[in-house]
Amino acid sequence: MQLHLCTWQEVERYLETSSGIIFPIGSTEQHGPTGLIGTDAICAEVVAKGVGESTGAIVGPTINVGMALHHAAFPGSMSLRPSTLIQVIQDYLVGLSRSGFRRFFFINGHGGNVATLKAAFSETYARLADLQIPGADQVHCKVNNWYMNRDVYQLAKELYGDREGSHATPSEVAVTQFVYPEAIKDAPLSAEVASGFPIYGAADFRRHYPDGRMGSDPSLATPEHGQQLYEKAVDAIATDYQKFLAAD
Amino acid sequence: MQLHLCTWQEVERYLETSSGIIFPIGSTEQHGPTGLIGTDAICAEVVAKGVGESTGAIVGPTINVGMALHHAAFPGSMSLRPSTLIQVIQDYLVGLSRSGFRRFFFINGHGGNVATLKAAFSETYARLADLQIPGADQVHCKVNNWYMNRDVYQLAKELYGDREGSHATPSEVAVTQFVYPEAIKDAPLSAEVASGFPIYGAADFRRHYPDGRMGSDPSLATPEHGQQLYEKAVDAIATDYQKFLAAD
Amino acid sequence: MQLHLCTWQEVERYLETSSGIIFPIGSTEQHGPTGLIGTDAICAEVVAKGVGESTGAIVGPTINVGMALHHAAFPGSMSLRPSTLIQVIQDYLVGLSRSGFRRFFFINGHGGNVATLKAAFSETYARLADLQIPGADQVHCKVNNWYMNRDVYQLAKELYGDREGSHATPSEVAVTQFVYPEAIKDAPLSAEVASGFPIYGAADFRRHYPDGRMGSDPSLATPEHGQQLYEKAVDAIATDYQKFLAAD
Amino acid sequence: MQLHLCTWQEVERYLETSSGIIFPIGSTEQHGPTGLIGTDAICAEVVAKGVGESTGAIVGPTINVGMALHHAAFPGSMSLRPSTLIQVIQDYLVGLSRSGFRRFFFINGHGGNVATLKAAFSETYARLADLQIPGADQVHCKVNNWYMNRDVYQLAKELYGDREGSHATPSEVAVTQFVYPEAIKDAPLSAEVASGFPIYGAADFRRHYPDGRMGSDPSLATPEHGQQLYEKAVDAIATDYQKFLAAD
Amino acid sequence: MQLHLCTWQEVERYLETSSGIIFPIGSTEQHGPTGLIGTDAICAEVVAKGVGESTGAIVGPTINVGMALHHAAFPGSMSLRPSTLIQVIQDYLVGLSRSGFRRFFFINGHGGNVATLKAAFSETYARLADLQIPGADQVHCKVNNWYMNRDVYQLAKELYGDREGSHATPSEVAVTQFVYPEAIKDAPLSAEVASGFPIYGAADFRRHYPDGRMGSDPSLATPEHGQQLYEKAVDAIATDYQKFLAAD
Amino acid sequence: MQLHLCTWQEVERYLETSSGIIFPIGSTEQHGPTGLIGTDAICAEVVAKGVGESTGAIVGPTINVGMALHHAAFPGSMSLRPSTLIQVIQDYLVGLSRSGFRRFFFINGHGGNVATLKAAFSETYARLADLQIPGADQVHCKVNNWYMNRDVYQLAKELYGDREGSHATPSEVAVTQFVYPEAIKDAPLSAEVASGFPIYGAADFRRHYPDGRMGSDPSLATPEHGQQLYEKAVDAIATDYQKFLAAD
């Protein structure tokens, strides 16, 4: 059930039985020579839709552009500054809290979003209290990184071992191949790939990771893997969402 | 050509021949008893994809949530505050200007976005100058409201006359029916519909427009109309985009 | 009745019978070789005073500096960034709403202010609701561009035809001549004048409009025209203000 | 020489021989039962015009609304929050620094503005350095409170002694009577007037100063006093401005 | 009684009998060739602890970094921008007001903090009112500059006369010598020292005050002086704090 | 070597051989019935001083108040909002980067700070690039949570097992007892202690953790444990700091 495909009266009825909403959050950033710039958003969105179907939850609009300032030295990468993203999340959550939503569950496709999201949750709880919105002290927010769920993570390790890496990974590329088989890319990948450098600023990042990959070999990805990973992710996250809803 | 389906190297090559990018911008807000909450984003996105295909332009990720504070009294409506949206637009445009983009063309599905977008463009030009980004003084931004292009507007008038109204219009509903025929809604619509009140705050809006429509009769919409309107919009906007690119 | 010339007790009494206030808003920006930098503020202020006299409305202090970032490449031009102006408008309106004002009517002399003003109104309505100010949901804001009222516009067209242009127009210059006959300027004006280029950033603007005029011939202006235009503007706007006050 | 009555080319020529500009800054706030709400702006503006005439300096548009949050419990009082005023001052000074201005002299009519103005100056110097505006390290800002100049202060003490007080003072009221003799007010003033309480928030202020005066007896004011005070202020400040311009 | 050494239950009990809290606020900035970068924070902190012991007041954590943008051209100097410091003070005071604190007393070691602190107090009073925190209209804030108390000031004048100067003064250096005798510095001091230039931006400051001192001769400082100054400051400020608490 | 005890000339010399600086960052928040409100700042500060002594690094002033909004329902707790803390960190790092510092190492005593710190680092890298500070692309930031270093963590587990818990832990209490033996508290601790609830807003937190502890038994703490934990922390972090400095 996608918020975008509901009427406001359907939302009103939904709120009689559930106060939960799921937001896919991704990023728009380079993913190496063969990874799609929208990889993180595509993965988060498809998994969120799956979880929405499986649980009956409303799925809000995808946050396509996240916190990816460290990728800014590669053309086509986009980012919100953390302080902007904090404002965006606040605007989303304050408004929907007034509608009656109380459980905000973010399915996340990009590690770089996590810190800012958590900061945003803290700031939002305080702002909701400031605004004296009735029930605001019941608001809970959670972020679930789809690729970190145990079953997903284990499957990726089984399929790719160390060549999974940590950015432009074969597992995320595989999910995008499953969703957009028509957009599977063919580009030369050097056998050697940089890894192990911490992430600092954008120029520093590109200096250390010249083709954008971080220790990964995305050539291992297949659409079939993508489907398997997708299914594991939907199952694991649907369970997590239900627990999140149920908790006091 | 969607930015989300490109690699960064493809963007790099694209920038050798074009500095233009198209952004669909919509809203997530009530559209009356039968209109989808995502109407404005759905329309802007599909038209933008069409224009992208027709012109070869890159189409960036859809801005799903716009400036819709006046709809906030209807459940499920979402909005950025204008000052937040200004920050978002700045972050988008500053980053992409560093990549080499110079022509930012927004295909807009929601009248409430226009003022804030224009304010954001002004603030962005000044910030680009502050940042001394080379070529920043070449940056041009433009917003095209798909429903305001003459051919689109005339077709809507022909099809619906005065029953087009100004929010939750049959024309925009028709386009969403064309895109999502599976999400055509059936809900009672009162014969009488409020119209003519100016837009102020959210409570005031709901008081004057109790079911969310502004003078419109969306029951007139059909998917076939939607396709016609879509095609007229793509044609008109593709032409406008080409002129925008060509201008000095 | 000017707010600046009232005591607070007079304002308290005024509020027993009216909740309306008028704000002149102009700009401080180049107006071509012969136009005054304060043109937009001077026009807005004089018209607002006239409307105040004609309707008994309180007229607040003139907002002298508006959103004119695109004029920044000409010496002496000043501007607020849109996000600053939004804060200013909020501070004005939140404070006066606490006093009991409910109808804020802006008489505007500068097209570049409109988008930001409208964004500011939207943000203010939401903030008033956040602050739970009693009666905040009754607050209405409106902007009236003095030069766009039909009778004013028609007179300008009759007097100047196409040579009215769109910036540093003879009509606005005429009004300043009527107000400050001692400041009528004499400077060479090229016969040819740029027109038709859209407005982007400041450097781009000056490149396209090297002397600051946009398609106008301000040499046609006379103080007598200024008085006629002033009178038409006061009449039209006084009527509009009364309607604004009366509406629910 | 008022900026509002100059053309941009006149400003360009002015900058060849001077980089100084004077800004009157006042406030829009209650001044007791007989003082005008615009008192501080009226005084600052008239003195600034006098100084401008006497020194040949350009005088910018009056900042009518200052930092007067503590007066907010009296109807008709307006204020910017300090953080808003800091943004406003920055926008003014950054823009004019790009034009070539280097000496910003504020003639101030309201004690409540001083702290925020000084904070704004500090923030502006840093921002000018951040922006790498050529010559930015030459920018100097100064605030001169017209009523604090020795000769003005002494005359006020001679005329009014302890009944001068510290808000809604006879000296400032006298200046407004000199400027607007038609707006001399007649309202009952209690013989006793509160004094000696520090200034905290708005409700606290009104509790301690119920009619808005702070230890003053504005019934002593006359237009003739106003003229004397005005002349002393212009003389003293003109001298101070010249020294300010001359200093390295 | 230091807040850092209390438990929350001890604070809860404290609030039953007092609503006062003391904050030391200093700066981290150059203090000439022999003065410690932490001078202002060290002085404010030790005096505040003394006042806390003498009065039983809770002493909050030291604000180590203040508004010292004009010292930024000397290595090791740190500063908050005024608008940042305003946010910090607001966050401190809003939170503690919710706990029940009503009297906020700042013992300040740096002249450059005063303007921003006062601006912050004004903005905080207004925000507390916006938030409708019960009792918020009882909140009072005050800043006491330890070196400006009459007895302290007189002792400094007796000890150092004109060689006290106004930055990196022997009196403040003496207090740091009293607190940290192990950190007494030995570095050459030119006999001549700049003085009399107003403070503008950082580059300008360093140009006029090349070794960082403003008219001072800190070689006169001794730890014994420091102790005397400290004791005078504690006595004077303890009295002032008690009066502050007692006032309505 | 503490920044506060250096002169600016000593910092200038230090920068010839090192570009590293260490910042202790803690929090001011409830730590259960027996834990000090300053626990996190005290621990971070003492460990940072130890690391400074061991490595010769400069240690900057302690950030005493961090991101602890979830503790706000306990009296005496203080917090910065995340967006404020981001501004503070930016101001610190931008200023010191201009001085020549390039390696910023935060020793952290509070889990709640981590997300906001990481967000702040990202925003700072981007702002440094915006400001075009020479060498800005060499700036690296890192946060080390003293209690998470393997040797520290293992010792805590050995000493306390499951009774370590996750807030108001015996290990952090022990370190404060080592530093301030005079401030060891005696207060009743219920045998049962809440644990396992995720952290959301302040009211929710207090509802689930009524005495402030999260699964911990701080009665197990001793000053001797504190010393052991301190020593392990200093050793581990000194090594980590050296590696951080050495990396490219």
Side-chain angles (χ1 to χ4, degrees):
Chain A
M1 196 173 175
Q2 294 179 62
L3 179 60
H4 265 211
L5 301 186
C6 296
T7 66
W8 69 264
Q9 294 173 340
E10 288 169 344
V11 175
E12 195 169 53
R13 284 194 294 274
Y14 173 90
L15 282 163
E16 291 167 11
T17 60
S18 176
S19 70
I21 185 167
I22 293 172
F23 278 101
I25 176 166
S27 186
T28 298
E29 64 181 45
Q30 69 82 16
H31 273 78
T34 58
L36 307 183
I37 282 180
T39 296
D40 297 342
I42 292 164
C43 293
E45 186 171 279
V46 71
V47 170
K49 283 182 184 166
V51 174
E53 281 158 24
S54 148
T55 62
I58 278 190
V59 178
T62 302
I63 302 173
N64 294 302
V65 179
M67 208 314 290
L69 288 169
H70 47 297
H71 293 294
F74 292 89
S77 295
M78 299 176 63
S79 183
L80 298 179
R81 286 172 292 175
S83 53
T84 303
L85 184 50
I86 289 174
Q87 293 306 312
V88 168
I89 298 293
Q90 275 193 64
D91 286 2
Y92 278 29
L93 271 49
V94 167
L96 292 171
S97 294
R98 290 201 191 276
S99 285
F101 288 96
R102 294 288 175 267
R103 296 289 181 272
F104 298 95
F105 189 86
F106 289 76
I107 296 179
N108 178 42
H110 171 51
N113 290 335
V114 176
T116 301
L117 267 183
K118 289 189 174 173
F121 295 165
S122 295
E123 189 140 344
T124 301
Y125 297 132
R127 183 143 174 259
L128 289 169
D130 282 354
L131 293 174
Q132 302 172 311
I133 297 177
D137 62 336
Q138 314 290 335
V139 167
H140 292 184
C141 302
K142 181 171 187 177
V143 55
N144 182 307
N145 302 305
W146 73 266
Y147 50 89
M148 299 276 280
N149 291 279
R150 186 200 306 257
D151 288 358
V152 178
Y153 186 80
Q154 282 184 341
L155 176 56
K157 279 293 163 198
E158 279 165 32
L159 293 170
Y160 312 122
D162 283 352
R163 297 162 83 189
E164 167 73 354
S166 55
H167 181 66
T169 62
S171 62
E172 61 187 352
V173 168
V175 173
T176 65
Q177 291 180 344
F178 163 58
V179 183
Y180 290 107
E182 72 275 23
I184 297 178
K185 304 288 171 167
D186 190 30
L189 286 173
S190 63
E192 268 185 66
V193 55
S195 72
F197 300 101
I199 296 175
Y200 303 115
D204 186 281
F205 184 96
R206 186 154 183 182
R207 205 155 46 222
H208 284 111
Y209 297 107
D211 76 358
R213 291 177 297 151
M214 301 176 74
S216 66
D217 181 358
S219 71
L220 303 175
T222 71
E224 294 71 28
H225 293 168
Q227 181 168 3
Q228 289 174 270
L229 290 157
Y230 160 79
E231 285 167 1
K232 295 242 181 257
V234 168
D235 284 354
I237 299 176
T239 303
D240 192 45
Y241 175 70
Q242 303 280 23
K243 278 176 56 184
F244 174 67
L245 271 198
D248 160 38
Chain B
M1 196 175 177
Q2 294 179 61
L3 180 60
H4 265 212
L5 301 186
C6 296
T7 66
W8 70 263
Q9 295 173 340
E10 289 170 344
V11 174
E12 195 169 54
R13 283 194 294 275
Y14 173 89
L15 283 162
E16 291 166 10
T17 59
S18 176
S19 71
I21 186 167
I22 293 172
F23 279 101
I25 176 166
S27 186
T28 298
E29 64 181 46
Q30 69 83 15
H31 273 78
T34 57
L36 307 183
I37 282 178
T39 296
D40 297 341
I42 292 164
C43 294
E45 186 172 279
V46 71
V47 170
K49 283 182 183 165
V51 174
E53 281 157 23
S54 147
T55 62
I58 278 192
V59 179
T62 302
I63 301 174
N64 294 301
V65 179
M67 208 313 291
L69 289 168
H70 47 297
H71 293 294
F74 292 89
S77 295
M78 299 177 63
S79 183
L80 298 179
R81 284 173 293 174
S83 52
T84 303
L85 185 51
I86 289 174
Q87 292 306 311
V88 167
I89 298 292
Q90 274 192 65
D91 286 2
Y92 278 29
L93 271 48
V94 167
L96 292 172
S97 294
R98 290 202 192 277
S99 285
F101 288 97
R102 295 287 174 267
R103 295 289 181 273
F104 300 95
F105 189 87
F106 289 75
I107 296 179
N108 179 42
H110 172 53
N113 290 335
V114 176
T116 301
L117 268 182
K118 289 189 173 174
F121 295 164
S122 296
E123 189 139 346
T124 301
Y125 297 131
R127 183 142 175 257
L128 289 169
D130 282 353
L131 294 173
Q132 302 172 311
I133 298 176
D137 62 337
Q138 314 291 332
V139 168
H140 292 182
C141 302
K142 181 170 186 177
V143 54
N144 181 308
N145 302 305
W146 72 266
Y147 49 90
M148 299 275 281
N149 291 279
R150 185 200 306 254
D151 287 358
V152 178
Y153 186 81
Q154 281 182 341
L155 177 56
K157 280 293 165 196
E158 279 166 33
L159 293 169
Y160 313 121
D162 284 352
R163 296 162 84 188
E164 166 74 354
S166 54
H167 181 67
T169 62
S171 62
E172 62 187 349
V173 168
V175 174
T176 66
Q177 291 180 344
F178 162 59
V179 183
Y180 290 108
E182 70 276 23
I184 297 179
K185 304 288 172 168
D186 191 29
L189 286 173
S190 62
E192 268 183 66
V193 55
S195 73
F197 300 101
I199 296 176
Y200 304 114
D204 186 280
F205 184 96
R206 187 155 182 181
R207 206 156 43 223
H208 284 111
Y209 297 107
D211 76 358
R213 292 177 296 152
M214 300 175 75
S216 66
D217 181 359
S219 70
L220 304 175
T222 70
E224 294 70 29
H225 293 168
Q227 181 166 2
Q228 289 174 269
L229 289 157
Y230 161 79
E231 285 167 0
K232 294 240 180 260
V234 169
D235 284 354
I237 300 176
T239 303
D240 191 45
Y241 174 70
Q242 303 280 26
K243 278 174 58 183
F244 175 66
L245 273 198
D248 160 40
Chain C
M1 197 173 174
Q2 294 179 62
L3 179 61
H4 265 211
L5 301 185
C6 296
T7 66
W8 70 264
Q9 294 173 340
E10 289 170 343
V11 175
E12 194 169 54
R13 284 193 294 275
Y14 173 89
L15 283 163
E16 291 166 11
T17 59
S18 176
S19 70
I21 186 167
I22 293 172
F23 278 101
I25 176 165
S27 186
T28 297
E29 65 182 44
Q30 69 82 15
H31 272 77
T34 57
L36 308 182
I37 282 179
T39 296
D40 297 341
I42 292 164
C43 293
E45 185 171 280
V46 71
V47 171
K49 283 182 184 166
V51 175
E53 282 158 22
S54 148
T55 62
I58 278 191
V59 178
T62 302
I63 302 173
N64 294 301
V65 179
M67 208 314 290
L69 289 169
H70 47 297
H71 293 294
F74 292 88
S77 296
M78 300 177 63
S79 183
L80 299 179
R81 285 172 292 174
S83 53
T84 302
L85 185 50
I86 290 173
Q87 293 305 312
V88 168
I89 298 293
Q90 275 193 65
D91 285 4
Y92 278 29
L93 271 48
V94 167
L96 291 171
S97 293
R98 290 202 191 278
S99 285
F101 287 96
R102 296 287 175 266
R103 295 289 180 274
F104 298 95
F105 189 87
F106 289 75
I107 296 179
N108 178 43
H110 172 52
N113 290 334
V114 176
T116 301
L117 268 183
K118 289 188 174 173
F121 295 165
S122 296
E123 188 140 346
T124 301
Y125 298 131
R127 182 142 176 260
L128 289 169
D130 282 354
L131 293 173
Q132 301 172 312
I133 298 177
D137 62 337
Q138 314 291 333
V139 168
H140 292 182
C141 302
K142 181 170 187 177
V143 55
N144 181 307
N145 302 305
W146 73 265
Y147 49 90
M148 299 275 280
N149 291 278
R150 185 199 306 254
D151 287 358
V152 179
Y153 186 80
Q154 282 183 342
L155 176 57
K157 280 294 164 195
E158 279 166 33
L159 293 169
Y160 312 122
D162 283 353
R163 296 162 84 188
E164 167 73 354
S166 55
H167 181 66
T169 61
S171 63
E172 61 186 350
V173 168
V175 173
T176 65
Q177 291 179 344
F178 162 59
V179 182
Y180 290 108
E182 70 276 22
I184 298 179
K185 304 288 173 169
D186 190 29
L189 287 173
S190 62
E192 268 183 67
V193 55
S195 72
F197 300 101
I199 296 175
Y200 304 114
D204 185 280
F205 184 96
R206 186 154 183 182
R207 205 156 44 222
H208 284 110
Y209 296 108
D211 76 357
R213 291 177 297 151
M214 300 176 75
S216 66
D217 182 359
S219 71
L220 303 175
T222 71
E224 295 69 30
H225 293 168
Q227 181 167 2
Q228 289 174 269
L229 289 157
Y230 161 79
E231 286 166 1
K232 294 239 181 262
V234 169
D235 284 354
I237 301 176
T239 303
D240 192 45
Y241 174 70
Q242 303 280 24
K243 278 175 59 183
F244 175 66
L245 273 197
D248 159 40
Chain D
M1 196 173 174
Q2 295 178 61
L3 179 60
H4 265 211
L5 301 186
C6 296
T7 66
W8 71 264
Q9 294 173 340
E10 288 170 344
V11 174
E12 195 169 54
R13 284 194 293 275
Y14 172 90
L15 283 163
E16 291 167 12
T17 59
S18 176
S19 70
I21 186 168
I22 294 172
F23 278 101
I25 176 167
S27 185
T28 298
E29 64 182 45
Q30 68 83 14
H31 272 77
T34 58
L36 307 183
I37 282 179
T39 295
D40 297 342
I42 292 164
C43 293
E45 185 171 279
V46 71
V47 171
K49 283 182 184 167
V51 175
E53 282 158 23
S54 148
T55 62
I58 278 191
V59 179
T62 302
I63 302 173
N64 294 300
V65 178
M67 207 315 289
L69 288 168
H70 47 297
H71 293 294
F74 293 89
S77 294
M78 300 177 62
S79 183
L80 298 179
R81 285 172 292 174
S83 52
T84 303
L85 185 51
I86 290 174
Q87 294 305 312
V88 167
I89 298 294
Q90 275 193 64
D91 286 2
Y92 278 28
L93 271 49
V94 167
L96 292 172
S97 294
R98 291 202 191 276
S99 285
F101 288 97
R102 294 288 175 266
R103 295 289 180 274
F104 298 94
F105 189 86
F106 288 76
I107 296 180
N108 178 42
H110 171 52
N113 290 335
V114 177
T116 301
L117 267 183
K118 288 188 174 174
F121 295 165
S122 296
E123 189 139 344
T124 301
Y125 297 132
R127 182 140 176 260
L128 289 169
D130 282 354
L131 294 174
Q132 302 172 312
I133 298 177
D137 63 336
Q138 315 291 333
V139 168
H140 292 183
C141 302
K142 182 171 186 176
V143 55
N144 182 306
N145 301 305
W146 72 266
Y147 50 89
M148 300 275 280
N149 291 279
R150 186 200 306 257
D151 287 358
V152 178
Y153 187 80
Q154 282 183 342
L155 176 56
K157 279 295 164 196
E158 278 165 33
L159 292 170
Y160 312 122
D162 283 354
R163 296 163 83 187
E164 167 73 353
S166 54
H167 181 67
T169 62
S171 61
E172 61 187 350
V173 169
V175 173
T176 65
Q177 291 180 344
F178 162 59
V179 183
Y180 291 107
E182 72 275 23
I184 298 179
K185 304 289 171 166
D186 191 30
L189 286 173
S190 63
E192 270 183 66
V193 55
S195 72
F197 300 101
I199 296 175
Y200 303 115
D204 186 280
F205 184 96
R206 185 155 182 181
R207 205 155 46 221
H208 283 110
Y209 296 108
D211 76 357
R213 291 177 297 152
M214 300 176 75
S216 67
D217 181 359
S219 72
L220 304 174
T222 70
E224 294 71 28
H225 293 168
Q227 181 167 2
Q228 289 174 269
L229 290 157
Y230 160 78
E231 286 167 1
K232 294 238 180 262
V234 168
D235 285 354
I237 300 176
T239 303
D240 192 45
Y241 174 70
Q242 303 279 22
K243 279 175 56 183
F244 174 67
L245 272 198
D248 160 39
Chain E
M1 196 173 175
Q2 294 179 63
L3 179 60
H4 266 211
L5 301 185
C6 297
T7 66
W8 71 264
Q9 294 172 341
E10 289 169 344
V11 174
E12 194 169 54
R13 284 194 293 277
Y14 172 90
L15 282 163
E16 292 166 9
T17 59
S18 176
S19 70
I21 187 167
I22 293 172
F23 278 101
I25 176 166
S27 185
T28 298
E29 65 182 46
Q30 70 82 14
H31 273 78
T34 58
L36 308 182
I37 282 178
T39 296
D40 297 342
I42 292 165
C43 293
E45 185 172 279
V46 70
V47 170
K49 283 182 184 167
V51 175
E53 282 158 22
S54 148
T55 62
I58 277 190
V59 179
T62 303
I63 302 173
N64 294 301
V65 179
M67 207 315 290
L69 288 169
H70 46 296
H71 293 294
F74 293 89
S77 295
M78 299 176 63
S79 182
L80 298 179
R81 285 172 293 174
S83 53
T84 303
L85 185 50
I86 289 174
Q87 293 305 312
V88 168
I89 298 293
Q90 274 193 64
D91 285 2
Y92 279 29
L93 271 49
V94 167
L96 292 171
S97 294
R98 291 202 190 275
S99 286
F101 288 96
R102 295 287 174 267
R103 294 290 180 272
F104 298 95
F105 190 86
F106 289 75
I107 296 180
N108 178 42
H110 171 53
N113 290 334
V114 176
T116 301
L117 268 183
K118 289 189 173 173
F121 295 165
S122 296
E123 188 140 345
T124 301
Y125 297 132
R127 183 144 174 256
L128 289 169
D130 282 352
L131 294 173
Q132 302 173 313
I133 297 177
D137 62 338
Q138 314 291 332
V139 168
H140 293 183
C141 302
K142 181 171 187 177
V143 55
N144 182 307
N145 302 305
W146 73 266
Y147 50 90
M148 299 276 279
N149 291 279
R150 185 200 307 255
D151 287 358
V152 179
Y153 186 80
Q154 282 184 343
L155 177 56
K157 279 294 164 195
E158 280 167 31
L159 293 170
Y160 313 122
D162 283 353
R163 297 162 83 189
E164 167 74 353
S166 54
H167 181 67
T169 63
S171 61
E172 61 187 349
V173 169
V175 173
T176 65
Q177 291 180 343
F178 163 59
V179 183
Y180 290 108
E182 71 275 22
I184 298 179
K185 305 288 173 168
D186 191 29
L189 285 173
S190 62
E192 267 183 67
V193 55
S195 72
F197 299 101
I199 297 175
Y200 303 115
D204 185 281
F205 184 96
R206 187 155 183 181
R207 204 155 47 221
H208 284 111
Y209 298 107
D211 76 359
R213 292 177 297 151
M214 300 175 74
S216 67
D217 181 359
S219 71
L220 303 175
T222 71
E224 294 71 28
H225 293 168
Q227 182 166 3
Q228 288 173 270
L229 290 157
Y230 161 79
E231 287 167 359
K232 293 241 181 262
V234 169
D235 285 355
I237 300 176
T239 303
D240 191 44
Y241 175 69
Q242 302 280 24
K243 277 175 57 182
F244 175 66
L245 272 197
D248 160 39
Chain F
M1 197 172 174
Q2 293 178 63
L3 179 61
H4 266 211
L5 302 185
C6 296
T7 66
W8 70 265
Q9 294 173 340
E10 289 170 345
V11 174
E12 195 170 53
R13 285 193 294 276
Y14 172 90
L15 283 163
E16 291 167 10
T17 60
S18 177
S19 71
I21 186 167
I22 293 173
F23 278 101
I25 177 166
S27 185
T28 297
E29 65 181 47
Q30 71 82 15
H31 273 78
T34 58
L36 307 183
I37 282 179
T39 296
D40 297 341
I42 292 164
C43 293
E45 185 171 279
V46 71
V47 170
K49 283 182 184 167
V51 175
E53 283 158 22
S54 149
T55 61
I58 277 190
V59 179
T62 302
I63 301 173
N64 294 301
V65 179
M67 208 315 289
L69 288 169
H70 46 298
H71 293 293
F74 292 90
S77 295
M78 298 176 64
S79 182
L80 298 179
R81 286 172 292 174
S83 53
T84 303
L85 185 50
I86 289 173
Q87 293 305 311
V88 168
I89 298 294
Q90 274 193 65
D91 285 3
Y92 278 29
L93 271 50
V94 167
L96 292 171
S97 294
R98 290 204 191 274
S99 286
F101 288 97
R102 295 286 175 267
R103 294 290 180 270
F104 299 94
F105 189 86
F106 289 75
I107 297 180
N108 178 42
H110 171 53
N113 290 335
V114 176
T116 301
L117 268 182
K118 289 189 173 173
F121 295 165
S122 296
E123 188 140 344
T124 301
Y125 297 132
R127 182 143 175 258
L128 290 169
D130 282 352
L131 294 173
Q132 302 172 311
I133 298 176
D137 62 337
Q138 314 291 333
V139 168
H140 291 183
C141 303
K142 181 171 187 177
V143 54
N144 181 306
N145 302 306
W146 72 266
Y147 50 91
M148 298 277 280
N149 291 278
R150 185 199 306 255
D151 286 358
V152 178
Y153 186 80
Q154 282 184 341
L155 177 56
K157 280 294 164 196
E158 280 167 30
L159 292 170
Y160 312 122
D162 283 354
R163 296 162 83 189
E164 168 72 354
S166 55
H167 181 66
T169 62
S171 62
E172 62 186 349
V173 168
V175 173
T176 66
Q177 290 180 345
F178 162 60
V179 183
Y180 291 108
E182 71 275 22
I184 297 179
K185 305 289 173 168
D186 191 29
L189 285 173
S190 62
E192 267 183 66
V193 55
S195 72
F197 300 101
I199 296 175
Y200 304 114
D204 185 281
F205 185 96
R206 187 156 182 181
R207 204 155 48 221
H208 283 111
Y209 297 107
D211 77 358
R213 292 177 297 152
M214 300 176 74
S216 67
D217 182 358
S219 72
L220 303 175
T222 71
E224 295 71 27
H225 293 168
Q227 183 167 2
Q228 289 173 270
L229 290 157
Y230 161 79
E231 286 167 0
K232 294 241 180 261
V234 169
D235 285 354
I237 300 176
T239 304
D240 191 45
Y241 175 71
Q242 303 280 25
K243 278 175 56 183
F244 175 66
L245 273 197
D248 160 39

